[in-house]
Amino acid sequence: MPGKMPDLHVFGTQAAPAQWLVVVTGIAALAVVVPHGVWRLSRNAITIAHEGGHGLVALLTGRRLDGIRLHSDTSGLTVSRGRPTGLGMILTAAAGYTAPPLLGLGGAYLLAAHHVTLLLWLATALLIAMLVMIRNAYGVLTVVLSGAAFLLVSWLTSPDVQSVFAYAVVWFLLLGGVRPAFELQGKRRRHNSGDSDADQLARLTHVPPALWLFMFHAVSVCSLIGGGRWLLGL
C-alpha cells in the first residue's frame, strides 16, 4: 500500500549466521581487544557501557543522575546525587565494571533466541537515552557515533549484515568486559589505581578492594563463558 511504513519486525526472529561466521566475529572482536594500540581506541565503547551501567543503576535505585562524562583517555565519570552510603550507592558503584560483560551476556541470550533486530534497537535506545545525560563534547561525539552505527546498520543493511554486526558487538562486550578488571588489578599492584570503583566499594562496605576486584573478575569471566556458549550454540 502506498505510503505504508516498513514493518520493522522488532520482536520477530531472524536466522543466525553460519557457525563459521560466528567464530570469525569472535576472532575479529578479540583482535580489537588484545592489541594494546587498537584497544586504546576500542576501549571507548567499553567505557560507554561502564559509565552507562553506573548511570542506569543510579536511576533504578532512586538516585538523581546529574551527568556522565567520557574522556579521550577512555576514562569516564558518572555523577549522581542521593545518600552517600547504603545499598543504592553500593549497587551504583558496583555496576561499572560489571555492566559491559552483563550487557554482553544479555545480548548473547537475545541472539541465541534469534532476536537480532530487537538487540540492535535496544542498543540504539540505550545510547539515545545515555546521550541526554552526557555533559562533555567528547562524550557526545563517541555516543553519537556509536548510536549512528547501530541506527545505520538497523535501517540500511540486509538481515545477514545485521546479524554479523550484532554477533561482533556482543563478542566485543563479552571479551572487552574481561580486560578492564585486569587493568585495574595491574594499577592496584603499582599503587596507581586512584579512587577506583573497588576502593569506593571498600569504603562503603568495609570489604577489602581485592574481594571486589575478584567479583569483577568472576562476573566478566562467567559472562564470557556463558555468553560464548550461547553464541556458539553449545
Side-chain angles (χ1 to χ4, degrees):
M1 180 182 298
K4 183 180 178 180
M5 291 296 291
D7 186 359
L8 297 177
H9 298 293
V10 172
F11 296 100
T13 58
Q14 297 79 34
Q19 184 79 354
W20 69 270
L21 271 176
V22 175
V23 174
V24 168
T25 57
I27 294 172
L30 195 64
V32 298
V33 169
V34 174
H36 180 70
V38 182
W39 175 244
R40 290 183 61 186
L41 178 62
S42 63
R43 196 185 193 282
N44 283 284
I46 296 297
T47 303
I48 291 174
H50 179 116
E51 299 303 331
H54 282 313
L56 178 60
V57 174
L59 291 174
L60 291 176
T61 55
R63 298 180 63 81
R64 178 180 174 183
L65 184 59
D66 281 351
I68 298 172
R69 290 178 174 270
L70 305 172
H71 304 131
S72 58
D73 63 355
T74 72
S75 66
L77 176 66
T78 300
V79 179
S80 63
R81 294 184 188 180
R83 288 184 56 194
T85 58
L87 182 61
M89 187 62 204
I90 293 170
L91 292 175
T92 298
Y97 280 94
T98 56
L102 289 178
L103 285 172
L105 183 64
Y109 174 80
L110 288 176
L111 292 181
H114 306 294
H115 289 300
V116 175
T117 303
L118 179 60
L119 182 147
L120 294 175
W121 282 102
L122 281 176
T124 304
L126 287 173
L127 287 166
I128 292 173
M130 186 175 178
L131 182 62
V132 177
M133 300 307 303
I134 298 294
R135 296 293 182 264
N136 67 322
Y138 184 81
V140 169
L141 176 64
T142 56
V143 174
V144 166
L145 289 176
S146 300
F150 278 92
L151 196 59
L152 290 173
V153 169
S154 300
W155 273 104
L156 302 180
T157 64
S158 68
D160 290 340
V161 173
Q162 293 174 14
S163 185
V164 170
F165 177 78
Y167 271 80
V169 168
V170 171
W171 272 122
F172 173 73
L173 287 171
L174 291 170
L175 293 165
V178 173
R179 184 164 178 172
F182 283 98
E183 292 176 336
L184 177 58
Q185 183 176 347
K187 289 180 180 179
R188 289 193 58 77
R189 190 180 298 115
R190 298 188 299 270
H191 305 288
N192 190 32
S193 62
D195 192 25
S196 70
D197 291 355
D199 295 303
Q200 294 181 42
L201 286 163
R203 289 195 301 271
L204 289 166
T205 62
H206 305 292
V207 173
L211 288 182
W212 285 107
L213 184 57
F214 174 80
M215 189 270 284
F216 296 157
H217 281 305
V219 170
S220 62
V221 172
C222 288
S223 295
L224 174 58
I225 294 172
R229 288 177 61 85
W230 272 334
L231 293 177
L232 293 170
L234 302 178

